[in-house]
Amino acid sequence: MEVCYIPKSAIKNRIANNPLFVKELLITMATELKIADDMIVNLSEKTVKQRLAQSLLYLKKQFGEDPATGDLTLVLSREDLAAAIGTATESCIRLLSDFKKKGYITTQGKNIKIIQLDALEELTKDF
């Protein structure tokens, strides 16, 4: 990680004198606001099962799979996965077991492999 400091005066100057910078800044802020809004909607309106399925699909899309094993590249503990979807660790473990029984995924330790992508996508759809 590299950390840098940008003086407030430099930002103010850029805003005052560069309309393209302001436009890009507003687009970025709007995008981040949309992401935050989607997260709030997901936590408040979707079931835990839907949130888990959506999280697994997100991990696959954003971080990919190991070419050799097909496991999700980003490995999270069950506690971290539960925290990400806003549920108790026990509920997350129970749902992962349910997904495994239904053949949607396989697990080995912390590693998760998505077997039935379509089934997980179907779970994420609203009723």
Side-chain angles (χ1 to χ4, degrees), residues 10-45:
I11 298 291
K12 282 183 173 183
N13 184 32
R14 189 66 78 166
I15 289 171
N17 299 316
N18 191 335
L20 185 58
F21 177 75
V22 173
K23 179 183 173 191
E24 292 299 321
L25 185 63
L26 287 173
I27 289 170
T28 301
M29 289 173 59
T31 302
E32 292 298 320
L33 184 59
K34 173 73 170 122
I35 291 168
D37 184 54
D38 289 346
M39 203 179 299
I40 290 167
V41 168
N42 285 337
L43 286 173
S44 64
E45 294 181 0

Side-chain angles (χ1 to χ4, degrees), residues 65-81:
E65 297 174 319
D66 183 318
T69 63
D71 294 341
L72 296 175
T73 303
L74 184 64
V75 178
L76 296 174
S77 70
R78 299 304 186 247
E79 292 83 11
D80 290 339
L81 190 54

Side-chain angles (χ1 to χ4, degrees), residues 52 56 78 81 90-102 105 107 112:
L52 178 58
L56 293 174
R78 299 304 186 247
L81 190 54
E90 296 78 14
S91 296
C92 181
I93 291 169
R94 214 174 353 235
L95 281 172
L96 286 170
S97 294
D98 184 49
F99 285 7
K100 191 174 177 179
K101 285 178 190 171
K102 291 179 178 176
I105 63 170
T107 61
I112 299 173

